Amino acid sequence: MAQIPERVPDEGGQLEADPDLYDASDSSLGDEVSRYTASLTSSIERYPIENGRSFKSGSYIAPNDESELDRLDLTHQMLRITLGDKLFLAPIGEKPKNILDIGTGTGIWAIEMADAFPETHIIGTDLSATQPTWIPPNVKFEIDDAEEPWTFREKFDYVHVRYLAAAIVDWPKLVRQAFDATAPGEWAEFQDFDLKYYSEDGSLTDEHSVQQWITTLLKAAEDFRRDPSPGSKLEQYMKDAGFEDVHHEKYRMPIGPWPKDKHLKTIGAWNLVQLEDGLEGFTLRLFTTVLGWSLEEVQVLLANVRKDLRDPKIHAQFDFHVAYGRKPK
């Protein structure tokens, strides 16, 4: 694996596009994307079928089939690269006793933490059993709804909550429960997105299908009472819950390898692949169930969205936020 540079939080200023990425007559990224995304993989179970994709029962808007689980593992690696090959930023020390991972998904974060901290007991929770059965002995996965009252007997030295955008109704309640589950003097960390797409140079406009798609998607998620952009609010949620020494960092996530900066070019390529892999899954339940679109209407829109995503003249991006804080002693 190529050496991962130090993490680069947003320091302001406009991202510079790579002038050598494309010929002005060609809007296809093709080989460039393949070159930056050579190896991405993983898998697991199946659930009830909707529109040819399997979904968790209830109100979770994303599918839960092998394609989505692969995408979640891919996204995990993308976020690890974003943070400079780090799984977390909070100063949790070398020997935390108990760690809690809320919304563990495929369990990949919890498993990698278990390998890094072999003496630490780690619990990962999720709505369904999408985790592997062969896991490190210090990891346990539990089926649990993070929005229901937490019933853990122990307090945790570190509570980790990542990538629950468009999955949570009451974010302040979730953060308060994380506060209650954290041991005095110990840490909690939230990592999540603000999924509004933007460009700094005006190359992304309201006329583009990708902007029409994401605007409609975010509005549908809000109508579904699931906040799709909690990232920028995490710092304040943590302060309101009672955490101290709250630290916040923002990272820009380019869509496609259009940035000139090599680190951001790599992130952008991974981001494009995970978006393309998840595009149908993100859209189907919200557009057909909430908005009443037909499957055919959705597929026509997504064909145009894919064209925009691969157009290097469109310098689209969104933001990823990390906030961590300490519970008072």
Side-chain angles (χ1 to χ4, degrees):
M1 183 174 181
Q3 183 177 2
I4 298 174
E6 288 297 312
R7 57 191 173 91
V8 184
D10 184 14
E11 297 179 350
Q14 182 171 315
L15 295 187
E16 185 178 357
D18 183 355
D20 298 324
L21 180 61
Y22 62 94
D23 182 283
S25 63
D26 182 9
S27 63
S28 174
L29 292 174
D31 294 340
E32 193 73 12
V33 173
S34 299
R35 186 162 66 88
Y36 281 97
T37 56
S39 58
L40 317 161
T41 300
S42 219
S43 65
I44 306 189
E45 295 179 9
R46 294 183 174 82
Y47 286 74
I49 301 296
E50 289 181 21
N51 295 317
R53 296 293 297 272
S54 61
F55 286 77
K56 298 176 185 176
S57 60
S59 58
Y60 189 69
I61 67 173
N64 205 38
D65 52 18
E66 288 189 9
S67 295
E68 174 63 6
L69 298 176
D70 288 346
R71 188 194 68 81
L72 289 174
D73 280 353
L74 188 158
T75 302
H76 164 77
Q77 298 300 341
M78 176 185 75
L79 296 178
R80 183 164 181 162
I81 292 170
T82 299
L83 299 184
D85 200 25
K86 296 180 185 295
L87 291 167
F88 59 92
L89 299 185
I92 64 174
E94 296 182 359
K95 293 184 179 180
K97 294 181 180 178
N98 297 302
I99 289 177
L100 174 63
D101 182 30
I102 295 293
T104 195
T106 68
I108 189 170
W109 184 91
I111 290 170
E112 291 186 7
M113 284 292 285
D115 290 337
F117 297 93
E119 298 180 5
T120 300
H121 177 229
I122 299 174
I123 296 176
T125 70
D126 202 84
L127 283 172
S128 54
T130 58
Q131 302 81 38
T133 54
W134 292 94
I135 58 176
N138 55 325
V139 175
K140 179 174 72 171
F141 293 118
E142 298 180 356
I143 307 304
D144 199 9
D145 186 343
E147 297 200 270
E148 295 297 322
W150 296 8
T151 57
F152 304 106
R153 294 181 180 179
E154 67 268 57
K155 298 294 184 182
F156 296 89
D157 301 303
Y158 178 56
V159 176
H160 175 262
V161 185
R162 185 182 70 173
Y163 194 5
L164 294 183
I168 300 297
V169 172
D170 190 342
W171 273 93
K173 175 184 174 182
L174 181 77
V175 179
R176 288 195 302 270
Q177 294 209 93
F179 179 86
D180 292 340
T182 304
E186 303 301 337
W187 297 86
E189 181 168 335
F190 291 80
Q191 301 182 5
D192 228 306
F193 295 101
D194 185 332
L195 292 175
K196 300 181 185 71
Y197 290 11
Y198 66 94
S199 64
E200 297 168 320
D201 58 4
S203 58
L204 176 65
T205 73
D206 292 341
E207 303 303 314
H208 287 113
S209 294
V210 66
Q211 186 69 310
Q212 295 168 7
W213 165 75
I214 193 62
T215 300
T216 304
L217 184 76
L218 298 188
K219 178 63 165 59
E222 291 166 357
D223 291 345
F224 206 53
R225 298 178 59 234
R226 300 295 187 275
D227 187 352
S229 298
S232 60
K233 307 163 194 170
L234 296 175
E235 179 181 12
Q236 192 59 50
Y237 287 154
M238 294 194 76
K239 290 178 179 178
D240 291 344
F243 286 102
E244 297 179 343
D245 300 327
V246 178
H247 183 83
H248 166 256
E249 290 187 4
K250 182 180 78 172
Y251 300 83
R252 290 183 284 194
M253 307 292 293
I255 302 173
W258 57 262
K260 186 175 182 180
D261 179 271
K262 291 183 179 179
H263 180 57
L264 292 173
K265 181 185 289 291
T266 299
I267 293 169
W270 282 72
N271 199 14
L272 174 61
V273 172
Q274 72 87 14
L275 280 171
E276 289 187 328
D277 287 353
L279 192 59
E280 186 177 85
F282 300 150
T283 309
L284 284 175
R285 176 171 277 189
L286 284 177
F287 275 60
T288 59
T289 303
V290 178
L291 301 180
W293 288 40
S294 70
L295 181 59
E296 292 73 19
E297 289 173 322
V298 172
Q299 297 293 6
V300 169
L301 173 64
L302 295 187
N304 291 322
V305 171
R306 291 186 183 96
K307 291 179 182 178
D308 284 350
L309 288 174
R310 284 185 165 259
D311 185 348
K313 301 184 188 74
I314 300 175
H315 302 148
Q317 58 188 297
F318 54 87
D319 295 328
F320 179 65
H321 296 260
V322 178
Y324 59 86
R326 181 179 56 83
K327 184 174 181 176
K329 293 183 179 180

